[in-house]
Structure formats: C-alpha cells, structure tokens
Amino acid sequence: MGIFGGKNRVKGKSPATTLIAEGCTIIGEIQVENLLQIDGHVEGQIEAETQVKISQTGYVLGDITTERLIINGYFEGTCRADHIEILSCGSVNGEVYSDNLSIEPGGKFMGLTNPSENKPAKMLAHQEEQEEAKLLGNNDSTM
C-alpha cells in the first residue's frame, strides 16, 4: 500500500492559499474563494472570501473586500472587511469599512474609518420599522 493510495485516504478540507509572489505584478480583478497572500504588486479589485494578507513586500493599489484583512506591507485604496489588522510594518492610505480595526505599534494609517456596511438583518429590519413609525407618526400629526 502506497502513501498516496486513494481508497483509504481521508480527504481533508483545508483552505487553499493563492500566492502572488514577490516580483509578480497583476493589474485587474482577482477573485478567490479562500485565502490570498500578496508578496508582489497588485493594482485593481480584490475579492477573497476568507482572508487577504499583504506581506511586508506586498504592495496593493485598489479595492479589497474580504472577511479578514492583514496588512504588513503597503495598501492604498478602499477596503471592506469584518476584521482589519495593520501590523507593525503595515501602511494604509485610504478608506476603511470595518467594525474591528487594530493597528500594532509601528503600523501606519492615513485616511478615513467607517463602520461596516454589512449590518445584520435584524438590525436593518428594526431600523426600517423605526423609520416607518416616524413617517406614520409625522403623517398623522399633519392631518
């Protein structure tokens, strides 16, 4: 029986990491289902379902949408993520949409922070109910 025999092998579901290596330049749109690590240069729009990590040699200009964004290189643009970490060698210049932003000592941030645009459905429904009640209340008082 070989090590790589297929019948008795348990198939694990480990997330794959897409790597953009140092010295590589990509201009355009990137979409990945799992993890993305950028050691090179990217200009454009990035969408990664799970995580984007910009390493110390990484340089990104554009927009990033992901669940977790870790920046230890340079990022300029707009990012939207549930969790954003700017590490000690990280530098961000732009606009951030997140409810969880952390900056390590030495990390640099220049720009605007905004709350996450992804509000839970319950919260949105409650806000809509309040707005409707205000409108109905205002209409009744004018009659």
Side-chain angles (χ1 to χ4, degrees):
M1 178 191 311
I3 295 173
F4 301 107
K7 289 185 180 179
N8 295 327
R9 195 167 125 197
V10 176
K11 294 183 180 179
K13 193 169 185 178
S14 63
T17 299
T18 300
L19 173 66
I20 298 172
E22 187 175 356
C24 180
T25 299
I26 295 180
I27 299 173
E29 185 176 324
I30 299 172
Q31 292 182 340
V32 295
E33 288 185 10
N34 290 310
L35 309 172
L36 174 64
Q37 180 171 324
I38 302 169
D39 296 347
H41 184 103
V42 175
E43 292 183 33
Q45 184 173 347
I46 298 170
E47 290 184 30
E49 196 170 301
T50 310
Q51 176 179 294
V52 174
K53 181 176 184 180
I54 303 171
S55 69
Q56 204 166 347
T57 60
Y59 184 91
V60 178
L61 296 173
D63 297 334
I64 297 176
T65 303
T66 188
E67 187 175 311
R68 177 176 292 277
L69 176 59
I70 302 169
I71 303 162
N72 204 29
Y74 181 80
F75 171 72
E76 183 175 330
T78 302
C79 56
R80 292 169 175 81
D82 292 337
H83 301 277
I84 298 174
E85 298 174 54
I86 302 173
L87 303 182
S88 61
C89 293
S91 179
V92 174
N93 186 3
E95 196 163 1
V96 170
Y97 291 87
S98 181
D99 292 328
N100 298 296
L101 171 65
S102 65
I103 304 172
E104 284 186 354
K108 295 170 182 62
F109 176 72
M110 178 75 146
L112 300 170
T113 59
N114 301 290
S116 179
E117 295 174 325
N118 300 329
K119 294 184 181 177
K122 270 187 178 180
M123 193 177 225
L124 289 173
H126 181 69
Q127 286 176 345
E128 287 175 3
E129 287 174 7
Q130 286 180 332
E131 288 175 12
E132 283 181 27
K134 285 180 186 177
L135 289 174
L136 291 173
N138 289 343
N139 287 341
D140 290 341
S141 65
T142 58
M143 292 183 159

